[in-house]
Amino acid sequence: MNSHMYQSTQRTLMSRQPVKISEDKLEEIREAFSLFDTNKDGQIDYFELKVAMRALGFDQKKDDVLRVLQQQGSGDGSKISIDAFTKVMSEMIAARDPADEYKKAFKLIDENNSGIITVASLRRIARELGENIAEDELQAMIDEFDLDNDGGINEAEFIKIMMSGH
């Protein structure tokens, strides 16, 4: 996330409008905090905050992490509580562009950088997830969403699938 996105998030935080994210995401935020609150005092410092933010998919610059601590942290700005962390991270997650997230996911699935997700790609992902899906079912997934009939799902098709909620 760049500084512009962080500043936009800060404006939203300052407006005090409650943000809505899923309970799963809230649990993920709480788990990240708990994991990096190594001394279990309910607060994390700069280094723990930076790593917790990275664990949630936000590789922040030092200045942005310090700004979070100064604006949302404890009195001296050296630590942040779970409540403040949850508030900040909820806003940051809500501000993410879903299309960017889907592009990242596509790249993870398209391991050989061919530009398409193939049956082999789906087979690998299914195996990694411990799923046993028949070859014909994997092919049916490709066939259903392969709009240009090139034998695979390209990035644009993948984003369309994900944005439509299939």
Side-chain angles (χ1 to χ4, degrees):
M1 180 168 101
N2 60 32
S3 291
H4 173 70
M5 186 174 170
Y6 174 76
Q7 290 167 353
S8 172
T9 300
Q10 284 306 104
R11 281 193 294 278
T12 303
L13 278 171
M14 294 175 84
S15 71
R16 301 249 185 243
Q17 295 175 347
V19 65
K20 293 184 181 186
I21 62 170
S22 71
E23 190 57 42
D24 287 344
K25 286 292 180 191
L26 284 171
E27 184 58 29
E28 193 177 326
I29 292 168
R30 289 189 284 265
E31 285 176 14
F33 185 93
S34 179
L35 182 65
F36 297 106
D37 180 15
T38 54
N39 63 358
K40 304 301 180 207
D41 67 352
Q43 306 251 344
I44 55 176
D45 65 18
Y46 165 81
F47 296 104
E48 294 164 331
L49 176 59
K50 186 164 177 54
V51 177
M53 292 173 94
R54 185 177 300 136
L56 292 169
F58 297 94
D59 192 12
Q60 297 299 118
K61 293 184 178 178
K62 181 178 182 178
D63 289 345
D64 291 333
V65 177
L66 290 172
R67 195 174 302 115
V68 168
L69 281 173
Q70 290 166 352
Q71 294 175 354
Q72 302 294 322
S74 59
D76 65 359
S78 65
K79 292 190 171 197
I80 189 170
S81 70
I82 188 164
D83 291 337
F85 178 76
T86 300
K87 181 179 174 184
V88 168
M89 296 313 302
S90 294
E91 290 291 342
M92 291 173 74
I93 288 169
R96 280 182 175 162
D97 180 359
D100 287 341
E101 299 301 308
Y102 297 142
K103 286 177 185 179
K104 289 177 189 174
F106 180 86
K107 288 178 180 158
L108 291 173
I109 299 168
D110 179 25
E111 189 176 52
N112 62 3
N113 298 318
S114 66
I116 61 170
I117 296 171
T118 62
V119 170
S121 305
L122 291 179
R123 185 182 320 111
R124 177 184 56 81
I125 294 295
R127 197 173 319 124
E128 288 175 7
L129 295 173
E131 296 291 328
N132 187 18
I133 302 174
E135 195 78 13
D136 60 331
E137 289 181 65
L138 296 172
Q139 186 62 54
M141 289 180 208
I142 296 291
D143 294 343
E144 182 176 352
F145 297 106
D146 181 13
L147 302 177
D148 60 7
N149 296 314
D150 65 354
I153 307 297
N154 63 39
E155 186 178 74
E157 291 166 333
F158 181 77
I159 292 171
K160 185 174 182 178
I161 294 164
M162 300 306 293
M163 298 291 272
S164 70
H166 276 90

